[in-house]
Amino acid sequence: MTDSDPSAASPPVSSSSATDTPSPPMLCAACAGATASWSSPPPWSDSSPPPAYRPIRAPAINAPTATASIVLAPVPQPLPVPPAEPPYRFEIPSKRISSPDDIRRFHSSEAGRHFVGFVATLSRSVRGRKLSDPVPSPLPAPLSGLLSLLHTLARWIDEIPPLPHASRYGNPAYRSWHARLTDEGHGLVVALFPPSDELHPAADELLPYLLDSFGNAYRIDYGTGHETNFAAFLYCLARLGLIKEDDYPALVLRVFATYLDLMRRLQITYSLEPAGSHGVWGLDDYHFLPFIFGSAQLIDHKYMKPKSIHNQDILDNFSNDYMYLACVGFVKKVKKGVFAEHSPMLDDISGVPNWSKVNSGMLKMYKAEVLEKVPIMQHFLFGSLIKCTAFWDGAMDKVQLQVLEAKWPAR
């Protein structure tokens, strides 16, 4: 080391000493007096990120975005189910929807209009009726057969208990339950038909609807799309003449109510994951139709109003008679916390003045949020009983034709 080396004689100036130089005081614009100095806060770092503030009612990722269009849309009206005419040409149903254009074609087709009309007719059939109200006894053979089918599936839950697993959703024992349904489903469908009936070949077309009515065995989930497949299964039976319009009240109050009870057991026992849930912005993690039928039951009720869902005594005493109250009670049972926070849609609907408006809104919302959503309807099945001719007769608009010709030019 030499005396001429300045770096050895004096220590390096730190960066902090350069920045610690006091800045001149700031002066007040009014009196020209000195004010307190202000320095910017330190920047956020990975170890100390900024807090994530999210208002309770902030729109979720899956929040419905077409609220205005739903409000302005016409209410789906009840329509009779057109009977299937012989000669029958039953076929294995397949998926046909892959785009919004396919959705529009389906809803403009006869099959689409009548399927929505079928749901609206079921809703109208239970206006002012309780689940405990009497229905024709004995039930028609197809309805008693449906109840027997659902009771059989419920018995299988007792025979196939859930397996130990650490995940929140998806008990693998459900796959065994569904595999048994796949193995024995054809026989269960055939049992719905009269003996030696010409409709027996229809079982091949109806079976896929039944198998998709109880969830997906691979994903171990269930949602409104599976529920819609059960409605499609019932619609096909109605087209075949096995279910008459006079049977609709019993179909909802007995058969669909039993189906709902079965699905609640499956959801709880096997921890089925909600398929395509809207989160807090959905009515229910799994179902939609019981809110339609349940609101119809309560139309013109003398005492219970939509706001009555906040009265726990009403839920405890009347859930066995009204599907809507039972659904709200189930939501409150499985979701903890403030109702307005975990179920803001139901909380908002409770402010509607009467059940008739709730019911019409539910029908519009079901069409818009379920039957017009590609992620749900892409799994919907089409065959000879639910057929959208626009998919099969080669009909397409000029733009689609130009796209296809550009991709595959004629040779």
Side-chain angles (χ1 to χ4, degrees):
M1 180 181 295
T2 62
D3 294 340
S4 61
D5 187 359
S7 62
S10 61
V13 178
S14 65
S15 59
S16 60
S17 62
T19 59
D20 289 344
T21 303
S23 57
M26 299 179 65
L27 301 180
C28 176
C31 64
T35 63
S37 61
W38 177 87
S39 59
S40 60
W44 298 109
S45 63
D46 293 337
S47 60
S48 179
Y53 295 107
R54 176 173 294 180
I56 292 176
R57 302 298 288 273
I61 294 175
N62 291 326
T65 56
T67 305
S69 62
I70 295 174
V71 171
L72 297 176
V75 179
Q77 296 300 312
L79 290 174
V81 174
E85 301 289 346
Y88 304 113
R89 295 182 176 87
F90 300 119
E91 58 189 66
I92 304 298
S94 58
K95 301 174 183 179
R96 294 287 176 174
I97 291 179
S98 60
S99 69
D101 287 337
D102 295 335
I103 292 283
R104 285 190 287 271
R105 290 193 186 93
F106 170 58
H107 285 288
S108 64
S109 70
E110 181 181 356
R113 292 192 302 270
H114 282 280
F115 179 70
V116 177
F118 172 68
V119 174
T121 307
L122 291 178
S123 174
R124 183 183 63 181
S125 72
V126 294
R127 283 190 176 186
R129 293 173 178 257
K130 298 186 295 185
L131 292 173
S132 58
D133 281 353
V135 295
S137 181
L139 286 174
L143 297 191
S144 61
L146 285 169
L147 286 176
S148 177
L149 183 155
L150 295 172
H151 291 153
T152 298
L153 301 185
R155 188 177 66 250
W156 292 353
I157 300 177
D158 299 325
E159 298 172 3
I160 306 174
L163 297 173
H165 76 123
S167 301
R168 178 185 179 188
Y169 290 118
N171 194 294
Y174 172 75
R175 294 196 175 110
S176 300
W177 184 93
H178 202 280
R180 187 169 178 180
L181 173 63
T182 303
D183 293 339
E184 303 185 23
H186 190 274
L188 295 175
V189 175
V190 170
L192 299 175
F193 302 133
S196 304
D197 192 86
E198 63 176 340
L199 297 178
H200 281 194
D204 293 333
E205 182 165 337
L206 294 180
L207 179 59
Y209 291 105
L210 182 70
L211 297 181
D212 280 351
S213 297
F214 303 96
N216 183 276
Y218 178 77
R219 298 187 301 269
I220 314 183
D221 65 4
Y222 175 90
T224 51
H226 303 106
E227 179 186 64
T228 299
N229 270 305
F230 185 70
F233 178 71
L234 299 179
Y235 176 79
C236 290
L237 292 176
R239 287 216 63 198
L240 294 174
L242 296 176
I243 298 176
K244 312 294 185 182
E245 192 162 340
D246 292 341
D247 301 331
Y248 286 2
L251 183 65
V252 176
L253 300 178
R254 296 294 184 270
V255 176
F256 187 82
T258 303
Y259 167 77
L260 181 61
D261 291 341
L262 169 62
M263 287 316 310
R264 295 300 194 198
R265 284 195 63 193
L266 287 171
Q267 291 152 18
I268 294 174
T269 303
Y270 299 123
S271 305
L272 302 188
E273 184 174 4
S277 170
H278 282 299
V280 300
W281 292 99
L283 294 176
D284 182 293
D285 284 339
Y286 301 99
H287 293 281
F288 203 114
L289 289 177
F291 290 95
I292 296 177
F293 303 148
S295 59
Q297 287 182 276
L298 288 160
I299 289 178
D300 296 331
H301 196 284
K302 290 183 178 180
Y303 308 110
M304 281 185 278
K305 307 299 179 185
K307 64 182 179 181
S308 298
I309 65 169
H310 300 294
N311 188 321
Q312 189 60 43
D313 288 339
I314 288 180
L315 296 181
D316 293 340
N317 289 290
F318 296 98
S319 291
N320 291 332
D321 274 333
Y322 297 100
M323 256 185 258
Y324 195 100
L325 302 181
C327 288
V328 173
F330 182 82
V331 169
K332 288 188 173 184
K333 177 181 176 181
V334 299
K335 294 185 178 182
K336 306 302 180 184
V338 179
F339 183 74
E341 294 180 9
H342 63 63
S343 300
M345 285 289 289
L346 289 174
D347 184 61
D348 288 346
I349 293 169
S350 69
V352 176
N354 57 67
W355 288 110
S356 181
K357 287 186 177 294
V358 172
N359 181 250
S360 60
M362 290 291 180
L363 284 167
K364 293 192 290 185
M365 191 174 177
Y366 178 66
K367 185 173 183 289
E369 294 297 325
V370 177
L371 300 183
E372 292 182 355
K373 295 299 184 185
V374 174
I376 296 175
M377 294 301 290
Q378 67 182 346
H379 303 293
F380 195 73
L381 301 173
F382 295 89
S384 69
L385 298 173
I386 303 179
K387 184 173 183 178
C388 194
T389 55
F391 298 142
W392 297 340
D393 62 6
M396 62 181 67
D397 56 38
K398 293 181 180 180
V399 175
Q400 286 182 305
L401 186 59
Q402 292 172 357
V403 171
L404 292 178
E405 288 176 346
K407 292 175 67 176
W408 296 288
R411 296 182 179 181

